Amino acid sequence: MTARTLTCHVESVEDLTPDVFRVRFAARPEALAHAPGQYLEMKLDDTTWVPFSIANAAKGDGVLELHIQHWPERSNSARLRSLLVAANQLELRLPNGECVLDLDDPSPIVLICAGTGFSQMHAMLQAAFAHGLNQPIELWWAARERRDLYLESAALHWAASQPNFRYVPVLEEAPEAGDAHHQALEAAGVEASFNGHIGRIDDALRAHAESMAGKRVYLSGSPGMVYACVDALTPLGVEAGALSSDVFSYAPREPLLDPALVSG
């Protein structure tokens, strides 16, 4: 799909945590068409366009969703938050990106993300379940602490309702049972027990991930995080052609797979 510029109505701005908020835009459904995994660019001024992953699969309802990390100490972040709250309409440019879920590929799917990188995976998962994909699907979601898993209720709901889906949270700090996040999950009617790993996401993959042979892997996060995960998956048999990430476009690494880590 060719990228296009359009003016969208700001439908809502909602805090999901103190650090992450959700924005919903509305426009003609055909104008918002995109593939699961693509991103848009938002116009801040005549010279500044900021990229964000599109967090929902296209459903023909004329709604587009973003999950945005708010950094109060960063001028662009504070400016963006103020703009979204005050503006009635904003210019967007979409769709962009080649890290797109292949709905026709029957291979098992592994999704790996950190922080608001989940927004890209959220769109892919919505599309996968809407299309009835029945191959195994895993989501590995890394964050510093459990409250940073800002829409964990959605991941836990899918884990309980989709028999082919497995959710693996990875936290740098061990969670506390009964904390505010735990209570919020229970209030939402989902099982709040923590069934994940503590430490870095790449270390968790090395220690706990199964063979990656024949699996399609999508990654979303900083270049450092993405390439650390690629290196962790390489000895597990992942193939370069089976890896997808926007990082490969804006921060490419050659070779993608470290020959010293390739299994066999």
Side-chain angles (χ1 to χ4, degrees):
M1 287 179 276
T2 302
R4 53 200 173 272
T5 301
L6 61 150
T7 301
C8 293
H9 171 68
V10 181
E11 194 170 70
S12 63
V13 180
E14 171 195 4
D15 287 316
L16 298 175
T17 73
D19 307 309
V20 178
F21 59 98
R22 172 165 51 197
V23 182
R24 287 195 171 104
F25 295 95
R28 293 178 294 106
E30 60 272 21
L32 298 182
H34 63 277
Q38 290 191 298
Y39 67 91
L40 59 75
E41 295 172 289
M42 184 189 306
K43 184 178 181 180
L44 292 190
D45 56 42
D46 289 342
T47 60
T48 308
W49 291 80
V50 184
F52 294 101
S53 292
I54 300 171
N56 64 310
K59 296 182 290 186
D61 58 0
V63 174
L64 190 146
E65 180 176 319
L66 304 180
H67 303 161
I68 300 177
Q69 178 84 40
H70 179 48
W71 304 95
E73 70 278 9
R74 298 182 185 177
S75 59
N76 257 6
S77 180
R79 179 180 168 205
L80 173 63
R81 171 79 189 206
S82 299
L83 178 63
L84 286 165
V85 170
N88 182 52
Q89 294 182 322
L90 285 176
E91 278 191 66
L92 305 178
R93 188 161 58 203
L94 75 153
N96 298 286
E98 298 178 0
C99 180
V100 173
L101 180 66
D102 186 347
L103 295 168
D104 296 318
D105 185 347
S107 303
I109 297 168
V110 180
L111 308 173
I112 302 170
C113 62
T116 49
F118 173 69
S119 59
Q120 184 176 34
M121 306 311 177
H122 187 263
M124 291 185 181
L125 287 165
Q126 281 189 341
F129 299 137
H131 282 76
L133 299 191
N134 56 18
Q135 65 262 50
I137 302 174
E138 295 180 22
L139 169 68
W140 294 68
W141 186 4
R144 185 173 64 86
E145 55 184 309
R146 199 174 186 192
R147 77 165 194 165
D148 297 328
L149 302 174
Y150 59 90
L151 268 185
E152 191 178 19
S153 57
L156 290 168
H157 170 74
W158 284 324
S161 62
Q162 302 292 334
N164 62 323
F165 176 66
R166 177 178 175 234
Y167 165 54
V168 186
V170 180
L171 301 177
E172 294 180 19
E173 300 179 9
E176 296 181 12
D179 64 10
H181 183 86
H182 186 104
Q183 294 175 22
L185 291 174
E186 289 191 333
V190 297
E191 170 56 48
S193 299
F194 179 75
N195 296 303
H197 306 294
I198 305 302
R200 287 167 48 112
I201 179 67
D202 54 319
D203 290 335
L205 290 167
R206 285 189 187 90
H208 303 288
E210 299 175 352
S211 170
M212 291 291 134
K215 296 180 180 179
R216 184 77 180 166
V217 182
Y218 300 85
L219 304 105
S220 182
S222 68
M225 169 266 178
V226 166
Y227 288 122
C229 290
V230 169
D231 289 344
L233 299 178
T234 300
L236 299 177
V238 74
E239 299 175 5
L243 291 164
S244 296
S245 177
D246 288 322
V247 166
F248 302 158
S249 296
Y250 71 83
R253 184 181 79 172
E254 293 293 341
L256 177 56
L257 300 186
D258 184 342
L261 299 174
V262 176
S263 60

